[in-house]
Amino acid sequence: ERAFLGDAQLGLTFCLLGIFMVLAWVFASWTRPIVVMSVIPFGLIGAIYGHDLWQVPLSMFSIVGMIGMTGIIINDSIVLVSTVDEYARKRGLFPAIIDAVCDRFRPVMLTTLTTVLGLAPLLYERSSQAEFLRPTVITLVYGLGVGMFIVLLLVPAVLAIQLDVRRQVTALRRGLRASNGQAARRARGLLIGAGLALAGLFAVTLGAVIFSGALPVWLVTLWPALEGVPPLGAALGLFTVASLALLALTYVIGRIVVRPRRARLPA
């Protein structure tokens, strides 16, 4: 079983990498495949819930079902994202998302129901052959059932979030490229300083735990309350709180220092 799980993990990694490369080529984008594939981890919710409901332990047959479930969920996600991109050419992104979800609701639901209802009788089969297939069937039935709602709710939300992030990245690029005026130079210096500070925070928290498995000694000495906390949780909490404080401080400094002065009108 250990040998099978190792081979399955390697095969799943190459499978996901191949899916990402194909989607990147089809959509001509490196970020669109991330939106499409974001449903994969959430699709495991239904599979795990189904195993718990039927009191069936996860096994190698569950892994096989997860690989098949991944392909079907991605197929629904691809159809929805393609429809959104098609509608977005003639209207805004948010109206395109709403119209695409309304138009693709029936096809996604029918695709899921035909698969789920076709496999459901195997759940109640008591033969010895069906007992081996039950983990696979549970993964497909419950994973696809929950995955339908995930596709219709999560993918549109991620598309909207992607637009917000794209706007912020565009504003960041403009701020780094700006060179006219003293305010622009101050903004560029502030952004570079904040980026370096954020990289330093990552290095001493999550980076240290990832590479060494523990927080730096001086950080634990400075804050003794971290001694009994799991390293990964403590590092994630420290990085999150420190990042939010850094962003707030950067915003305040930007409002004070980078704000361009208005020219005084003659009396």
Side-chain angles (χ1 to χ4, degrees):
E1 186 175 359
R2 283 196 300 267
F4 172 80
L5 291 178
D7 295 339
Q9 183 179 3
L10 181 62
L12 182 61
T13 302
F14 282 109
C15 177
L16 295 177
L17 182 61
I19 292 174
F20 180 84
M21 297 303 296
V22 172
L23 293 178
W25 174 64
V26 172
F27 288 107
S29 172
W30 295 107
T31 56
R32 271 292 189 265
I34 298 177
V35 176
V36 174
M37 300 176 67
S38 62
V39 299
I40 297 176
F42 294 93
L44 299 178
I45 297 174
I48 295 174
Y49 173 77
H51 281 77
D52 180 70
L53 183 64
W54 286 83
Q55 296 297 313
V56 176
L58 291 169
S59 63
M60 61 179 67
F61 297 101
S62 303
I63 305 299
V64 174
M66 290 179 185
I67 296 176
M69 179 193 65
T70 298
I72 300 175
I73 291 182
I74 287 182
N75 185 32
D76 295 337
S77 182
I78 290 173
V79 172
L80 181 59
V81 173
S82 301
T83 306
V84 171
D85 291 340
E86 181 181 355
Y87 288 173
R89 299 171 185 172
K90 301 179 181 179
R91 66 199 80 172
L93 180 61
F94 294 119
I97 290 175
I98 296 174
D99 295 340
V101 172
C102 294
D103 292 343
R104 304 310 303 177
F105 174 75
R106 180 180 295 178
V108 172
M109 182 181 66
L110 291 177
T111 302
T112 303
L113 288 180
T114 52
T115 305
V116 170
L117 295 178
L119 293 173
L122 292 177
L123 293 174
Y124 301 95
E125 178 65 32
R126 299 301 180 183
S127 62
S128 58
Q129 292 84 357
E131 291 294 333
F132 287 100
L133 294 176
R134 181 168 292 178
T136 304
V137 176
I138 291 175
T139 302
L140 291 173
V141 169
Y142 286 88
L144 293 178
V146 176
M148 179 185 69
F149 298 98
I150 295 297
V151 169
L152 295 174
L153 295 176
L154 179 68
V155 173
V158 175
L159 287 173
I161 293 172
Q162 186 184 26
L163 178 62
D164 296 335
V165 174
R166 185 185 305 169
R167 290 174 178 173
Q168 300 300 324
V169 172
T170 302
L172 178 62
R173 289 177 178 176
R174 292 178 179 176
L176 293 175
R177 293 175 181 176
S179 59
N180 298 329
Q182 187 176 5
R185 290 191 294 270
R186 290 177 180 176
R188 185 170 62 251
L190 181 62
L191 290 174
I192 294 175
L196 293 176
L198 189 63
L201 286 175
F202 181 84
V204 300
T205 55
L206 289 174
V209 173
I210 291 174
F211 287 102
S212 64
L215 290 171
V217 179
W218 62 268
L219 189 58
V220 178
T221 305
L222 183 63
W223 199 346
L226 299 175
E227 188 172 354
V229 183
L232 184 58
L236 181 59
L238 287 175
F239 178 74
T240 302
V241 174
S243 299
L244 293 176
L246 177 63
L247 292 176
L249 180 62
T250 304
Y251 176 78
V252 172
I253 296 175
R255 294 288 294 179
I256 297 174
V257 179
V258 183
R259 191 174 184 178
R261 298 178 180 179
R262 297 181 179 179
R264 295 182 178 180
L265 298 176

